[in-house]
Amino acid sequence: MKQKRLIACFAVVLVLTASLAAGAGAGVSTGTVQSASAQPTCSFPFEKTDATGTAVTVESEPGRVVALQPSAAQTMWEIGAKKKVVGLPVGPYTSFLNGSKSGDRTDITKQDGYTTNIESVVSLTPDLVLAPNVVSNETVEKLRSAGLTVYKFKSGRSIEDIYRKTTLTGQLVGACQGANQRVEAMNETVSSIESAVENRDRPRVLYLMGDGYTPGNGTFINRVITLAGGENIAASAGITGYKQINPESVIKQDPQWIVVGSDTPNIPNQTAYTETTALKQNQTVVVNSSYISQPAPRVITPMNSLARSFHPDAFEQTNATDESTATDGKTTAATNATATTGTTETNGPGFGVIAAMLALLGATLVARLRQ
């Protein structure tokens, strides 16, 4: 009888834990995305018009997928569909993905490191090829001419675009639940950040990508800076897209923070930069280049790191979710930074805690059953 009561108790724990998990998934604090239960479920055939204007039909759930760019590969990992990926660009911009090396996946780039190797992709006989917007239409057409199903994504210009791309990727490859959970986790973190930095003074921020290039209006990196509670001086200077910023604009705008990527951490040794408030006060931030440069889920990590650098006191007063890694958000002199990448894969909001509760309670009950 005692064992039956314990088994019944364990069943109740399971039900309560499932309810908590559902609540955590649905507890999104903004209306940007819907709860998982309201989002579309995977079904095939699935048809969607892509960036080339082609109505692409995926007849059945793909078992073999090729990601032509790192952002598509990252998204597949983040939604729990990495086992489907048979080919991707193998290199520094995917090295943070566990199991992405050449011994585990086929490298589909040419020796130059960025051009798609058409023959390599075709030889993998994929059920679906994911082509981010930077892939040329010519490459897409060559792959289609070889009989492959190719979906080309639209350009990602905002965090909302990344939400949509993540959800769509899940629909295309049959990983809707993982995609929906990942989007909700992202949205929850962004909402927490927005709440933390709301009504605070926005410091002037310059993000340097190397050779003086910087993201301006119409870029998702500009949106990252804005959501983190900063003012992107490139956008204020009228720059659209990714262009070089001239020293005169840097002097005039006088950034209070300078942000650099881990692969290009050095700031030009020019008066326009050395005389900025940012360098005088040693206010520079190094972020993971792979995360900040890819319109994919992990862009939330540098956003969080930037917000905590710009407004540290705001996060002492809130419970904003911290998804930053040990290698992001180092407030240090950029010239002394070393390039590092993270390897931890992330999960949906609250599910780690719930799983831990379940494991602890389950272990306790099982131990008693064995006595």
Side-chain angles (χ1 to χ4, degrees):
M1 182 64 68
K2 179 179 179 181
Q3 288 185 342
K4 289 182 179 180
R5 286 198 300 269
L6 287 171
I7 291 172
C9 181
F10 186 58
V12 171
V13 171
L14 287 173
V15 172
L16 290 175
T17 304
S19 299
L20 285 170
V28 181
S29 54
T30 70
T32 305
V33 293
Q34 301 173 333
S35 65
S37 60
Q39 291 178 353
T41 56
C42 288
S43 61
F44 296 92
F46 178 78
E47 182 178 304
K48 184 78 173 179
T49 300
D50 75 347
T52 67
T54 303
V56 178
T57 301
V58 183
E59 296 293 347
S60 59
E61 181 175 337
R64 297 174 61 83
V65 177
V66 168
L68 296 185
Q69 290 291 318
S71 62
Q74 182 197 139
T75 302
M76 289 291 287
W77 257 250
E78 290 292 299
I79 65 176
K82 70 178 183 180
K83 291 183 179 179
K84 293 176 179 280
V85 179
V86 294
L88 76 164
V90 175
Y93 290 102
T94 56
S95 61
F96 64 92
L97 301 173
N98 294 333
S100 66
K101 297 180 180 179
S102 57
D104 304 301
R105 303 291 193 281
T106 298
D107 186 3
I108 51 83
T109 55
K110 294 184 177 179
Q111 290 185 347
D112 59 17
Y114 61 89
T115 305
T116 299
N117 187 326
I118 302 295
E119 293 76 14
S120 178
V121 176
V122 173
S123 70
L124 291 171
T125 62
D127 303 313
L128 178 65
V129 177
L130 301 177
N133 194 258
V134 294
V135 177
S136 69
N137 287 346
E138 180 183 2
T139 296
V140 171
E141 290 307 316
K142 285 182 179 179
L143 292 171
R144 286 175 176 165
S145 296
L148 301 182
T149 301
V150 184
Y151 187 92
K152 181 173 180 177
F153 293 93
K154 296 179 181 179
S155 177
R157 300 177 182 274
S158 67
I159 296 300
E160 293 74 19
D161 286 343
I162 296 174
Y163 292 162
R164 286 188 283 270
K165 176 186 173 184
T166 302
T167 300
L168 176 56
T169 300
Q171 293 173 302
L172 287 166
V173 306
C176 291
Q177 182 177 3
N180 294 345
Q181 289 178 352
R182 192 67 188 97
V183 169
E184 288 186 346
M186 293 167 63
N187 192 43
E188 183 177 274
T189 300
V190 171
S191 297
S192 297
I193 293 171
E194 286 186 290
S195 296
V197 304
E198 187 178 12
N199 298 325
R200 292 180 177 271
D201 291 338
R202 292 178 172 271
R204 299 181 302 277
V205 180
L206 172 62
Y207 178 71
L208 289 175
M209 303 172 65
D211 295 327
Y213 279 86
T214 187
N217 289 302
T219 65
F220 70 91
I221 298 180
N222 174 59
R223 184 68 171 145
V224 167
I225 294 171
T226 301
L227 288 171
E231 176 191 347
N232 183 9
I233 70 164
S236 301
I239 291 176
T240 299
Y242 299 92
K243 296 184 177 67
Q244 289 178 313
I245 187 169
N246 60 57
E248 290 74 17
S249 291
V250 176
I251 294 172
K252 181 178 180 180
Q253 298 290 333
D254 184 26
Q256 295 164 286
W257 286 88
I258 293 180
V259 182
V260 293
S262 55
D263 62 348
T264 55
N266 295 325
I267 297 173
N269 186 21
Q270 300 174 10
T271 302
Y273 295 95
T274 58
E275 293 301 311
T276 61
T277 298
L279 290 196
K280 285 182 177 179
Q281 297 185 5
N282 196 30
Q283 294 184 158
T284 62
V285 184
V286 182
V287 293
N288 187 305
S289 294
S290 294
Y291 294 179
I292 192 70
S293 64
Q294 297 177 24
R298 291 201 187 192
V299 74
I300 301 301
T301 297
M303 180 196 300
N304 202 355
S305 298
L306 293 179
R308 291 171 183 274
S309 295
F310 302 158
H311 304 284
D313 57 329
F315 291 87
E316 294 174 358
Q317 304 169 16
T318 69
N319 292 319
T321 304
D322 184 2
E323 286 195 358
S324 59
T325 67
T327 58
D328 266 308
K330 292 181 179 178
T331 305
T332 181
T335 51
N336 295 327
T338 56
T340 54
T341 57
T343 58
T344 304
E345 296 182 3
T346 54
N347 298 306
F351 292 102
V353 175
I354 293 169
M357 290 171 57
L358 177 59
L360 178 60
L361 290 170
T364 301
L365 291 171
V366 170
R368 291 182 179 179
L369 284 171
R370 288 177 177 176
Q371 290 178 351

